[in-house]
Amino acid sequence: GESVGLHLPTLSVQEGDNSIINCAYSNSASDYFIWYKQESGKGPQFIIDIRSNMDKRQGQRVTVLLNKTVKHLSLQIAATQPGDSAVYFCAEIVSGSARQLTFGSGTQLTVLP
Amino acid sequence: NAGVTQTPKFRILKIGQSMTLQCAQDMNHNYMYWYRQDPGMGLKLIYYSVGAGITDKGEVPNGYNVSRSTTEDFPLRLELAAPSQTSVYFCASRGTGGPGANVLTFGAGSRLTVL
């Protein structure tokens, strides 16, 4: 079935470098996307969201890019810090689906000293 | 505000036992959800509720039941626990309308092991 998926299960970056986490989706009816961060032993925490009528949205040290042509979104983290080490999930909401979120399998980001 | 509170945090069950995972939110959110997360995987929706007295099945409802008698509480019942139900369970809620209406607030999770 159609669902959100991630390109890479793990990503290691040096502290201070920028991180890019990718996510592919296949449902063209998806109209809203959210990135969540999940630290070990904790529940997912909202990072940033983007609507399908946008291409880019920026937050504090994070940017989400949405390419609807290829059904791809990415999360960019600037100047990655040790506290950024976590699993990152993208989630989508399909228009007309009672606003349920469908989650991808996640990317484990490890920040190296 | 406490947000979304789940109890217990950890529980070990024997095969065939039953138990209820509790979830409460103090944000007056209409929507509440139960997800399960298996190791190295994303979250799968078990059940959800759009308001008191209304519940509906998600992607993986078999073996579970829910009720929503109040806006605040959304307990998840496991009947006849099976090893396949070993997982971490997350409750979440969201409001309706306004900025952030699509954003779920999650509890800290309940880790269940069925032996």
Side-chain angles (χ1 to χ4, degrees), chain A residues 32 34 36 38 41-44 46 51 89 93 98-101 103-105, chain B residues 31 33 35 37 40-43 45 48 58 90 94 102-104 106-108:
Chain A
Y32 185 78
I34 306 176
Y36 280 91
Q38 186 177 25
K42 297 183 179 180
F46 170 83
R51 295 190 178 279
F89 294 96
I93 293 180
R99 313 309 293 171
Q100 295 177 32
L101 262 68
F103 286 84
S105 56
Chain B
Y31 288 74
Y33 305 82
Y35 289 88
Q37 185 178 33
M41 302 296 288
L43 286 81
L45 181 64
Y48 68 99
F90 289 99
R94 68 174 179 90
N102 289 310
V103 177
L104 268 63
F106 284 86

PDB file of all heavy atoms in Angstrom, chain A residues 32 34 36 38 41-44 46 51 89 93 98-101 103-105, chain B residues 31 33 35 37 40-43 45 48 58 90 94 102-104 106-108:
ATOM      1  N   TYR A  32      -0.046  17.283   3.811  1.00  0.00           N
ATOM      2  CA  TYR A  32       0.586  17.854   4.999  1.00  0.00           C
ATOM      3  C   TYR A  32       1.638  16.885   5.478  1.00  0.00           C
ATOM      4  O   TYR A  32       1.401  15.675   5.527  1.00  0.00           O
ATOM      5  CB  TYR A  32      -0.489  18.078   6.074  1.00  0.00           C
ATOM      6  CG  TYR A  32      -0.024  18.775   7.312  1.00  0.00           C
ATOM      7  CD1 TYR A  32       0.164  20.154   7.340  1.00  0.00           C
ATOM      8  CD2 TYR A  32       0.201  18.051   8.480  1.00  0.00           C
ATOM      9  CE1 TYR A  32       0.576  20.793   8.495  1.00  0.00           C
ATOM     10  CE2 TYR A  32       0.607  18.683   9.629  1.00  0.00           C
ATOM     11  CZ  TYR A  32       0.788  20.049   9.632  1.00  0.00           C
ATOM     12  OH  TYR A  32       1.190  20.684  10.770  1.00  0.00           O
ATOM     13  N   ILE A  34       4.938  16.218   8.432  1.00  0.00           N
ATOM     14  CA  ILE A  34       5.527  16.611   9.702  1.00  0.00           C
ATOM     15  C   ILE A  34       6.806  15.822   9.920  1.00  0.00           C
ATOM     16  O   ILE A  34       6.868  14.629   9.601  1.00  0.00           O
ATOM     17  CB  ILE A  34       4.571  16.328  10.885  1.00  0.00           C
ATOM     18  CG1 ILE A  34       3.203  16.979  10.660  1.00  0.00           C
ATOM     19  CG2 ILE A  34       5.173  16.835  12.190  1.00  0.00           C
ATOM     20  CD1 ILE A  34       2.191  16.646  11.750  1.00  0.00           C
ATOM     21  N   TYR A  36       9.220  14.498  12.968  1.00  0.00           N
ATOM     22  CA  TYR A  36       9.294  14.268  14.404  1.00  0.00           C
ATOM     23  C   TYR A  36      10.692  13.775  14.764  1.00  0.00           C
ATOM     24  O   TYR A  36      11.343  13.080  13.993  1.00  0.00           O
ATOM     25  CB  TYR A  36       8.288  13.206  14.846  1.00  0.00           C
ATOM     26  CG  TYR A  36       6.880  13.703  15.005  1.00  0.00           C
ATOM     27  CD1 TYR A  36       5.979  13.647  13.948  1.00  0.00           C
ATOM     28  CD2 TYR A  36       6.435  14.208  16.223  1.00  0.00           C
ATOM     29  CE1 TYR A  36       4.689  14.095  14.099  1.00  0.00           C
ATOM     30  CE2 TYR A  36       5.137  14.658  16.378  1.00  0.00           C
ATOM     31  CZ  TYR A  36       4.265  14.599  15.315  1.00  0.00           C
ATOM     32  OH  TYR A  36       2.981  15.041  15.464  1.00  0.00           O
ATOM     33  N   GLN A  38      12.658  11.588  17.772  1.00  0.00           N
ATOM     34  CA  GLN A  38      12.424  10.693  18.890  1.00  0.00           C
ATOM     35  C   GLN A  38      13.742  10.310  19.540  1.00  0.00           C
ATOM     36  O   GLN A  38      14.560   9.601  18.950  1.00  0.00           O
ATOM     37  CB  GLN A  38      11.672   9.432  18.457  1.00  0.00           C
ATOM     38  CG  GLN A  38      11.285   8.538  19.618  1.00  0.00           C
ATOM     39  CD  GLN A  38      10.481   7.333  19.193  1.00  0.00           C
ATOM     40  OE1 GLN A  38      10.561   6.880  18.055  1.00  0.00           O
ATOM     41  NE2 GLN A  38       9.686   6.801  20.110  1.00  0.00           N
ATOM     42  N   GLY A  41      13.958   6.186  24.366  1.00  0.00           N
ATOM     43  CA  GLY A  41      13.107   6.048  25.537  1.00  0.00           C
ATOM     44  C   GLY A  41      12.043   7.113  25.691  1.00  0.00           C
ATOM     45  O   GLY A  41      11.374   7.171  26.726  1.00  0.00           O
ATOM     46  N   LYS A  42      11.877   7.938  24.665  1.00  0.00           N
ATOM     47  CA  LYS A  42      10.891   9.012  24.747  1.00  0.00           C
ATOM     48  C   LYS A  42       9.904   8.933  23.588  1.00  0.00           C
ATOM     49  O   LYS A  42      10.135   8.237  22.597  1.00  0.00           O
ATOM     50  CB  LYS A  42      11.585  10.373  24.738  1.00  0.00           C
ATOM     51  CG  LYS A  42      12.489  10.613  25.929  1.00  0.00           C
ATOM     52  CD  LYS A  42      13.078  12.012  25.876  1.00  0.00           C
ATOM     53  CE  LYS A  42      13.976  12.273  27.076  1.00  0.00           C
ATOM     54  NZ  LYS A  42      14.568  13.641  27.031  1.00  0.00           N
ATOM     55  N   GLY A  43       8.826   9.669  23.702  1.00  0.00           N
ATOM     56  CA  GLY A  43       7.872   9.754  22.618  1.00  0.00           C
ATOM     57  C   GLY A  43       8.343  10.721  21.554  1.00  0.00           C
ATOM     58  O   GLY A  43       9.209  11.561  21.795  1.00  0.00           O
ATOM     59  N   PRO A  44       7.798  10.617  20.342  1.00  0.00           N
ATOM     60  CA  PRO A  44       8.168  11.550  19.272  1.00  0.00           C
ATOM     61  C   PRO A  44       7.837  12.984  19.646  1.00  0.00           C
ATOM     62  O   PRO A  44       6.829  13.258  20.295  1.00  0.00           O
ATOM     63  CB  PRO A  44       7.317  11.074  18.093  1.00  0.00           C
ATOM     64  CG  PRO A  44       6.985   9.655  18.390  1.00  0.00           C
ATOM     65  CD  PRO A  44       6.841   9.594  19.886  1.00  0.00           C
ATOM     66  N   PHE A  46       7.529  16.950  18.047  1.00  0.00           N
ATOM     67  CA  PHE A  46       7.361  17.739  16.822  1.00  0.00           C
ATOM     68  C   PHE A  46       8.583  18.609  16.561  1.00  0.00           C
ATOM     69  O   PHE A  46       9.115  19.246  17.464  1.00  0.00           O
ATOM     70  CB  PHE A  46       6.116  18.612  16.972  1.00  0.00           C
ATOM     71  CG  PHE A  46       5.953  19.649  15.896  1.00  0.00           C
ATOM     72  CD1 PHE A  46       5.391  19.306  14.691  1.00  0.00           C
ATOM     73  CD2 PHE A  46       6.376  20.953  16.101  1.00  0.00           C
ATOM     74  CE1 PHE A  46       5.235  20.249  13.695  1.00  0.00           C
ATOM     75  CE2 PHE A  46       6.221  21.915  15.112  1.00  0.00           C
ATOM     76  CZ  PHE A  46       5.648  21.560  13.914  1.00  0.00           C
ATOM     77  N   ARG A  51       3.033  22.325   4.602  1.00  0.00           N
ATOM     78  CA  ARG A  51       1.849  22.004   3.819  1.00  0.00           C
ATOM     79  C   ARG A  51       2.245  21.758   2.370  1.00  0.00           C
ATOM     80  O   ARG A  51       3.277  22.254   1.911  1.00  0.00           O
ATOM     81  CB  ARG A  51       0.826  23.137   3.903  1.00  0.00           C
ATOM     82  CG  ARG A  51       0.272  23.331   5.292  1.00  0.00           C
ATOM     83  CD  ARG A  51      -0.905  24.290   5.321  1.00  0.00           C
ATOM     84  NE  ARG A  51      -1.443  24.421   6.662  1.00  0.00           N
ATOM     85  CZ  ARG A  51      -2.274  23.563   7.227  1.00  0.00           C
ATOM     86  NH1 ARG A  51      -2.648  22.493   6.554  1.00  0.00           N
ATOM     87  NH2 ARG A  51      -2.714  23.756   8.448  1.00  0.00           N
ATOM     88  N   PHE A  89      11.575  10.874  12.171  1.00  0.00           N
ATOM     89  CA  PHE A  89      10.489  10.316  11.372  1.00  0.00           C
ATOM     90  C   PHE A  89       9.836  11.411  10.549  1.00  0.00           C
ATOM     91  O   PHE A  89       9.583  12.497  11.056  1.00  0.00           O
ATOM     92  CB  PHE A  89       9.392   9.721  12.269  1.00  0.00           C
ATOM     93  CG  PHE A  89       9.809   8.530  13.066  1.00  0.00           C
ATOM     94  CD1 PHE A  89      10.235   8.671  14.375  1.00  0.00           C
ATOM     95  CD2 PHE A  89       9.745   7.269  12.524  1.00  0.00           C
ATOM     96  CE1 PHE A  89      10.600   7.572  15.124  1.00  0.00           C
ATOM     97  CE2 PHE A  89      10.103   6.159  13.267  1.00  0.00           C
ATOM     98  CZ  PHE A  89      10.535   6.311  14.566  1.00  0.00           C
ATOM     99  N   ILE A  93      -0.030  13.302   6.133  1.00  0.00           N
ATOM    100  CA  ILE A  93      -1.481  13.254   6.275  1.00  0.00           C
ATOM    101  C   ILE A  93      -2.067  13.304   4.880  1.00  0.00           C
ATOM    102  O   ILE A  93      -1.746  14.199   4.098  1.00  0.00           O
ATOM    103  CB  ILE A  93      -2.010  14.427   7.112  1.00  0.00           C
ATOM    104  CG1 ILE A  93      -1.543  14.291   8.556  1.00  0.00           C
ATOM    105  CG2 ILE A  93      -3.536  14.471   7.062  1.00  0.00           C
ATOM    106  CD1 ILE A  93      -2.019  15.411   9.453  1.00  0.00           C
ATOM    107  N   ALA A  98      -9.356  11.571   7.485  1.00  0.00           N
ATOM    108  CA  ALA A  98      -9.643  11.884   8.889  1.00  0.00           C
ATOM    109  C   ALA A  98      -8.389  12.423   9.590  1.00  0.00           C
ATOM    110  O   ALA A  98      -8.270  12.302  10.799  1.00  0.00           O
ATOM    111  CB  ALA A  98     -10.185  10.670   9.626  1.00  0.00           C
ATOM    112  N   ARG A  99      -7.482  12.970   8.791  1.00  0.00           N
ATOM    113  CA  ARG A  99      -6.278  13.623   9.301  1.00  0.00           C
ATOM    114  C   ARG A  99      -5.410  12.680  10.120  1.00  0.00           C
ATOM    115  O   ARG A  99      -4.780  13.070  11.101  1.00  0.00           O
ATOM    116  CB  ARG A  99      -6.618  14.868  10.117  1.00  0.00           C
ATOM    117  CG  ARG A  99      -7.623  15.799   9.477  1.00  0.00           C
ATOM    118  CD  ARG A  99      -7.259  16.161   8.061  1.00  0.00           C
ATOM    119  NE  ARG A  99      -6.063  16.981   7.926  1.00  0.00           N
ATOM    120  CZ  ARG A  99      -5.458  17.274   6.792  1.00  0.00           C
ATOM    121  NH1 ARG A  99      -5.921  16.789   5.652  1.00  0.00           N
ATOM    122  NH2 ARG A  99      -4.388  18.045   6.757  1.00  0.00           N
ATOM    123  N   GLN A 100      -5.364  11.416   9.728  1.00  0.00           N
ATOM    124  CA  GLN A 100      -4.489  10.467  10.402  1.00  0.00           C
ATOM    125  C   GLN A 100      -3.080  10.610   9.856  1.00  0.00           C
ATOM    126  O   GLN A 100      -2.886  10.784   8.666  1.00  0.00           O
ATOM    127  CB  GLN A 100      -4.964   9.045  10.165  1.00  0.00           C
ATOM    128  CG  GLN A 100      -6.310   8.723  10.778  1.00  0.00           C
ATOM    129  CD  GLN A 100      -6.738   7.324  10.422  1.00  0.00           C
ATOM    130  OE1 GLN A 100      -5.897   6.438  10.269  1.00  0.00           O
ATOM    131  NE2 GLN A 100      -8.019   7.108  10.274  1.00  0.00           N
ATOM    132  N   LEU A 101      -2.109  10.482  10.754  1.00  0.00           N
ATOM    133  CA  LEU A 101      -0.711  10.507  10.344  1.00  0.00           C
ATOM    134  C   LEU A 101      -0.240   9.111  10.000  1.00  0.00           C
ATOM    135  O   LEU A 101      -0.531   8.157  10.699  1.00  0.00           O
ATOM    136  CB  LEU A 101       0.167  11.047  11.476  1.00  0.00           C
ATOM    137  CG  LEU A 101       0.559  12.520  11.408  1.00  0.00           C
ATOM    138  CD1 LEU A 101      -0.661  13.387  11.607  1.00  0.00           C
ATOM    139  CD2 LEU A 101       1.621  12.829  12.449  1.00  0.00           C
ATOM    140  N   PHE A 103       3.340   7.199   9.459  1.00  0.00           N
ATOM    141  CA  PHE A 103       4.755   7.401   9.737  1.00  0.00           C
ATOM    142  C   PHE A 103       5.624   6.517   8.872  1.00  0.00           C
ATOM    143  O   PHE A 103       5.286   5.379   8.564  1.00  0.00           O
ATOM    144  CB  PHE A 103       5.050   7.082  11.198  1.00  0.00           C
ATOM    145  CG  PHE A 103       4.560   8.115  12.163  1.00  0.00           C
ATOM    146  CD1 PHE A 103       3.249   8.110  12.603  1.00  0.00           C
ATOM    147  CD2 PHE A 103       5.417   9.104  12.639  1.00  0.00           C
ATOM    148  CE1 PHE A 103       2.795   9.067  13.494  1.00  0.00           C
ATOM    149  CE2 PHE A 103       4.969  10.054  13.527  1.00  0.00           C
ATOM    150  CZ  PHE A 103       3.659  10.039  13.963  1.00  0.00           C
ATOM    151  N   GLY A 104       6.798   7.041   8.542  1.00  0.00           N
ATOM    152  CA  GLY A 104       7.843   6.238   7.940  1.00  0.00           C
ATOM    153  C   GLY A 104       8.593   5.465   9.005  1.00  0.00           C
ATOM    154  O   GLY A 104       8.307   5.590  10.197  1.00  0.00           O
ATOM    155  N   SER A 105       9.598   4.683   8.586  1.00  0.00           N
ATOM    156  CA  SER A 105      10.293   3.818   9.539  1.00  0.00           C
ATOM    157  C   SER A 105      11.391   4.533  10.305  1.00  0.00           C
ATOM    158  O   SER A 105      11.907   3.994  11.266  1.00  0.00           O
ATOM    159  CB  SER A 105      10.880   2.603   8.816  1.00  0.00           C
ATOM    160  OG  SER A 105      11.723   3.022   7.767  1.00  0.00           O
TER     161      SER A 105
ATOM    162  N   TYR B  31      -9.120  14.883  19.504  1.00  0.00           N
ATOM    163  CA  TYR B  31      -8.572  13.716  18.846  1.00  0.00           C
ATOM    164  C   TYR B  31      -7.547  13.028  19.736  1.00  0.00           C
ATOM    165  O   TYR B  31      -6.645  13.673  20.272  1.00  0.00           O
ATOM    166  CB  TYR B  31      -7.898  14.102  17.525  1.00  0.00           C
ATOM    167  CG  TYR B  31      -8.849  14.488  16.426  1.00  0.00           C
ATOM    168  CD1 TYR B  31      -9.513  15.700  16.448  1.00  0.00           C
ATOM    169  CD2 TYR B  31      -9.065  13.645  15.352  1.00  0.00           C
ATOM    170  CE1 TYR B  31     -10.382  16.057  15.432  1.00  0.00           C
ATOM    171  CE2 TYR B  31      -9.926  13.988  14.321  1.00  0.00           C
ATOM    172  CZ  TYR B  31     -10.581  15.192  14.368  1.00  0.00           C
ATOM    173  OH  TYR B  31     -11.434  15.543  13.362  1.00  0.00           O
ATOM    174  N   TYR B  33      -5.152   9.175  19.939  1.00  0.00           N
ATOM    175  CA  TYR B  33      -4.652   8.078  19.120  1.00  0.00           C
ATOM    176  C   TYR B  33      -3.848   7.110  19.978  1.00  0.00           C
ATOM    177  O   TYR B  33      -3.194   7.515  20.938  1.00  0.00           O
ATOM    178  CB  TYR B  33      -3.723   8.609  18.013  1.00  0.00           C
ATOM    179  CG  TYR B  33      -4.329   9.662  17.128  1.00  0.00           C
ATOM    180  CD1 TYR B  33      -4.370  10.995  17.527  1.00  0.00           C
ATOM    181  CD2 TYR B  33      -4.839   9.340  15.869  1.00  0.00           C
ATOM    182  CE1 TYR B  33      -4.922  11.971  16.720  1.00  0.00           C
ATOM    183  CE2 TYR B  33      -5.387  10.310  15.043  1.00  0.00           C
ATOM    184  CZ  TYR B  33      -5.425  11.622  15.474  1.00  0.00           C
ATOM    185  OH  TYR B  33      -5.963  12.588  14.660  1.00  0.00           O
ATOM    186  N   TYR B  35      -0.773   4.351  19.141  1.00  0.00           N
ATOM    187  CA  TYR B  35       0.160   3.773  18.182  1.00  0.00           C
ATOM    188  C   TYR B  35       0.989   2.703  18.889  1.00  0.00           C
ATOM    189  O   TYR B  35       1.206   2.761  20.091  1.00  0.00           O
ATOM    190  CB  TYR B  35       1.139   4.828  17.648  1.00  0.00           C
ATOM    191  CG  TYR B  35       0.549   5.851  16.707  1.00  0.00           C
ATOM    192  CD1 TYR B  35      -0.027   7.017  17.190  1.00  0.00           C
ATOM    193  CD2 TYR B  35       0.607   5.663  15.337  1.00  0.00           C
ATOM    194  CE1 TYR B  35      -0.557   7.964  16.323  1.00  0.00           C
ATOM    195  CE2 TYR B  35       0.088   6.605  14.454  1.00  0.00           C
ATOM    196  CZ  TYR B  35      -0.495   7.744  14.964  1.00  0.00           C
ATOM    197  OH  TYR B  35      -1.002   8.677  14.099  1.00  0.00           O
ATOM    198  N   GLN B  37       4.893   0.838  18.411  1.00  0.00           N
ATOM    199  CA  GLN B  37       6.178   0.974  17.729  1.00  0.00           C
ATOM    200  C   GLN B  37       7.026  -0.242  18.023  1.00  0.00           C
ATOM    201  O   GLN B  37       7.458  -0.459  19.150  1.00  0.00           O
ATOM    202  CB  GLN B  37       6.900   2.245  18.164  1.00  0.00           C
ATOM    203  CG  GLN B  37       8.195   2.490  17.394  1.00  0.00           C
ATOM    204  CD  GLN B  37       8.875   3.783  17.803  1.00  0.00           C
ATOM    205  OE1 GLN B  37       8.812   4.204  18.953  1.00  0.00           O
ATOM    206  NE2 GLN B  37       9.541   4.438  16.855  1.00  0.00           N
ATOM    207  N   GLY B  40      13.022  -0.570  15.808  1.00  0.00           N
ATOM    208  CA  GLY B  40      13.549  -0.122  14.525  1.00  0.00           C
ATOM    209  C   GLY B  40      12.499   0.224  13.504  1.00  0.00           C
ATOM    210  O   GLY B  40      12.826   0.379  12.316  1.00  0.00           O
ATOM    211  N   MET B  41      11.274   0.373  13.946  1.00  0.00           N
ATOM    212  CA  MET B  41      10.188   0.630  13.005  1.00  0.00           C
ATOM    213  C   MET B  41       9.498   1.944  13.327  1.00  0.00           C
ATOM    214  O   MET B  41       9.705   2.545  14.384  1.00  0.00           O
ATOM    215  CB  MET B  41       9.161  -0.511  13.064  1.00  0.00           C
ATOM    216  CG  MET B  41       9.735  -1.885  12.771  1.00  0.00           C
ATOM    217  SD  MET B  41      10.353  -2.015  11.094  1.00  0.00           S
ATOM    218  CE  MET B  41       8.803  -2.049  10.198  1.00  0.00           C
ATOM    219  N   GLY B  42       8.659   2.357  12.393  1.00  0.00           N
ATOM    220  CA  GLY B  42       7.843   3.539  12.632  1.00  0.00           C
ATOM    221  C   GLY B  42       6.635   3.200  13.481  1.00  0.00           C
ATOM    222  O   GLY B  42       6.514   2.103  14.018  1.00  0.00           O
ATOM    223  N   LEU B  43       5.747   4.148  13.609  1.00  0.00           N
ATOM    224  CA  LEU B  43       4.559   3.974  14.440  1.00  0.00           C
ATOM    225  C   LEU B  43       3.381   3.514  13.592  1.00  0.00           C
ATOM    226  O   LEU B  43       3.143   4.064  12.510  1.00  0.00           O
ATOM    227  CB  LEU B  43       4.206   5.300  15.130  1.00  0.00           C
ATOM    228  CG  LEU B  43       5.104   5.714  16.280  1.00  0.00           C
ATOM    229  CD1 LEU B  43       6.370   6.366  15.789  1.00  0.00           C
ATOM    230  CD2 LEU B  43       4.362   6.653  17.229  1.00  0.00           C
ATOM    231  N   LEU B  45      -0.777   2.872  13.608  1.00  0.00           N
ATOM    232  CA  LEU B  45      -1.978   3.310  14.301  1.00  0.00           C
ATOM    233  C   LEU B  45      -2.851   2.123  14.671  1.00  0.00           C
ATOM    234  O   LEU B  45      -3.204   1.306  13.819  1.00  0.00           O
ATOM    235  CB  LEU B  45      -2.751   4.281  13.407  1.00  0.00           C
ATOM    236  CG  LEU B  45      -4.026   4.875  13.982  1.00  0.00           C
ATOM    237  CD1 LEU B  45      -3.713   5.736  15.203  1.00  0.00           C
ATOM    238  CD2 LEU B  45      -4.758   5.691  12.929  1.00  0.00           C
ATOM    239  N   TYR B  48      -8.133   5.151  17.040  1.00  0.00           N
ATOM    240  CA  TYR B  48      -8.189   6.572  17.279  1.00  0.00           C
ATOM    241  C   TYR B  48      -9.601   6.982  17.651  1.00  0.00           C
ATOM    242  O   TYR B  48     -10.553   6.208  17.490  1.00  0.00           O
ATOM    243  CB  TYR B  48      -7.674   7.374  16.074  1.00  0.00           C
ATOM    244  CG  TYR B  48      -8.557   7.306  14.842  1.00  0.00           C
ATOM    245  CD1 TYR B  48      -9.451   8.331  14.536  1.00  0.00           C
ATOM    246  CD2 TYR B  48      -8.462   6.227  13.964  1.00  0.00           C
ATOM    247  CE1 TYR B  48     -10.233   8.275  13.398  1.00  0.00           C
ATOM    248  CE2 TYR B  48      -9.251   6.163  12.834  1.00  0.00           C
ATOM    249  CZ  TYR B  48     -10.125   7.189  12.540  1.00  0.00           C
ATOM    250  OH  TYR B  48     -10.907   7.127  11.410  1.00  0.00           O
ATOM    251  N   GLY B  58      -7.670   1.700  13.487  1.00  0.00           N
ATOM    252  CA  GLY B  58      -6.576   2.158  12.664  1.00  0.00           C
ATOM    253  C   GLY B  58      -6.051   1.028  11.799  1.00  0.00           C
ATOM    254  O   GLY B  58      -6.812   0.179  11.340  1.00  0.00           O
ATOM    255  N   PHE B  90       2.371   4.138  22.225  1.00  0.00           N
ATOM    256  CA  PHE B  90       2.327   5.579  22.397  1.00  0.00           C
ATOM    257  C   PHE B  90       0.907   6.078  22.222  1.00  0.00           C
ATOM    258  O   PHE B  90       0.223   5.730  21.265  1.00  0.00           O
ATOM    259  CB  PHE B  90       3.225   6.288  21.382  1.00  0.00           C
ATOM    260  CG  PHE B  90       4.688   6.111  21.639  1.00  0.00           C
ATOM    261  CD1 PHE B  90       5.420   5.172  20.939  1.00  0.00           C
ATOM    262  CD2 PHE B  90       5.325   6.884  22.606  1.00  0.00           C
ATOM    263  CE1 PHE B  90       6.780   5.007  21.187  1.00  0.00           C
ATOM    264  CE2 PHE B  90       6.680   6.725  22.840  1.00  0.00           C
ATOM    265  CZ  PHE B  90       7.408   5.778  22.147  1.00  0.00           C
ATOM    266  N   ARG B  94      -4.440  15.580  19.695  1.00  0.00           N
ATOM    267  CA  ARG B  94      -4.307  16.852  18.993  1.00  0.00           C
ATOM    268  C   ARG B  94      -5.629  17.589  19.082  1.00  0.00           C
ATOM    269  O   ARG B  94      -6.686  16.991  19.259  1.00  0.00           O
ATOM    270  CB  ARG B  94      -3.894  16.676  17.541  1.00  0.00           C
ATOM    271  CG  ARG B  94      -4.944  16.037  16.651  1.00  0.00           C
ATOM    272  CD  ARG B  94      -4.465  16.047  15.208  1.00  0.00           C
ATOM    273  NE  ARG B  94      -5.440  15.418  14.310  1.00  0.00           N
ATOM    274  CZ  ARG B  94      -6.414  16.073  13.706  1.00  0.00           C
ATOM    275  NH1 ARG B  94      -6.562  17.365  13.896  1.00  0.00           N
ATOM    276  NH2 ARG B  94      -7.233  15.428  12.891  1.00  0.00           N
ATOM    277  N   ASN B 102      -2.808  20.004  13.254  1.00  0.00           N
ATOM    278  CA  ASN B 102      -2.444  18.688  12.738  1.00  0.00           C
ATOM    279  C   ASN B 102      -1.323  18.045  13.530  1.00  0.00           C
ATOM    280  O   ASN B 102      -0.944  16.910  13.252  1.00  0.00           O
ATOM    281  CB  ASN B 102      -2.026  18.800  11.270  1.00  0.00           C
ATOM    282  CG  ASN B 102      -3.211  19.097  10.370  1.00  0.00           C
ATOM    283  OD1 ASN B 102      -4.231  18.431  10.443  1.00  0.00           O
ATOM    284  ND2 ASN B 102      -3.071  20.112   9.543  1.00  0.00           N
ATOM    285  N   VAL B 103      -0.751  18.753  14.471  1.00  0.00           N
ATOM    286  CA  VAL B 103       0.421  18.260  15.184  1.00  0.00           C
ATOM    287  C   VAL B 103      -0.001  17.423  16.375  1.00  0.00           C
ATOM    288  O   VAL B 103      -0.737  17.881  17.244  1.00  0.00           O
ATOM    289  CB  VAL B 103       1.304  19.425  15.647  1.00  0.00           C
ATOM    290  CG1 VAL B 103       2.483  18.898  16.458  1.00  0.00           C
ATOM    291  CG2 VAL B 103       1.795  20.221  14.446  1.00  0.00           C
ATOM    292  N   LEU B 104       0.472  16.196  16.418  1.00  0.00           N
ATOM    293  CA  LEU B 104       0.186  15.319  17.542  1.00  0.00           C
ATOM    294  C   LEU B 104       1.153  15.568  18.685  1.00  0.00           C
ATOM    295  O   LEU B 104       2.358  15.745  18.466  1.00  0.00           O
ATOM    296  CB  LEU B 104       0.306  13.856  17.117  1.00  0.00           C
ATOM    297  CG  LEU B 104      -0.965  13.154  16.614  1.00  0.00           C
ATOM    298  CD1 LEU B 104      -1.477  13.811  15.360  1.00  0.00           C
ATOM    299  CD2 LEU B 104      -0.707  11.676  16.409  1.00  0.00           C
ATOM    300  N   PHE B 106       2.651  13.619  21.850  1.00  0.00           N
ATOM    301  CA  PHE B 106       2.790  12.224  22.277  1.00  0.00           C
ATOM    302  C   PHE B 106       3.080  12.109  23.762  1.00  0.00           C
ATOM    303  O   PHE B 106       3.727  12.971  24.370  1.00  0.00           O
ATOM    304  CB  PHE B 106       3.929  11.548  21.514  1.00  0.00           C
ATOM    305  CG  PHE B 106       3.580  11.182  20.107  1.00  0.00           C
ATOM    306  CD1 PHE B 106       3.722  12.105  19.081  1.00  0.00           C
ATOM    307  CD2 PHE B 106       3.106   9.916  19.803  1.00  0.00           C
ATOM    308  CE1 PHE B 106       3.401  11.769  17.777  1.00  0.00           C
ATOM    309  CE2 PHE B 106       2.784   9.572  18.499  1.00  0.00           C
ATOM    310  CZ  PHE B 106       2.928  10.498  17.486  1.00  0.00           C
ATOM    311  N   GLY B 107       2.633  10.978  24.323  1.00  0.00           N
ATOM    312  CA  GLY B 107       3.064  10.607  25.658  1.00  0.00           C
ATOM    313  C   GLY B 107       4.447   9.984  25.597  1.00  0.00           C
ATOM    314  O   GLY B 107       5.023   9.810  24.522  1.00  0.00           O
ATOM    315  N   ALA B 108       4.970   9.623  26.762  1.00  0.00           N
ATOM    316  CA  ALA B 108       6.330   9.087  26.853  1.00  0.00           C
ATOM    317  C   ALA B 108       6.414   7.619  26.474  1.00  0.00           C
ATOM    318  O   ALA B 108       7.513   7.083  26.309  1.00  0.00           O
ATOM    319  CB  ALA B 108       6.877   9.293  28.257  1.00  0.00           C
TER     320      ALA B 108
END
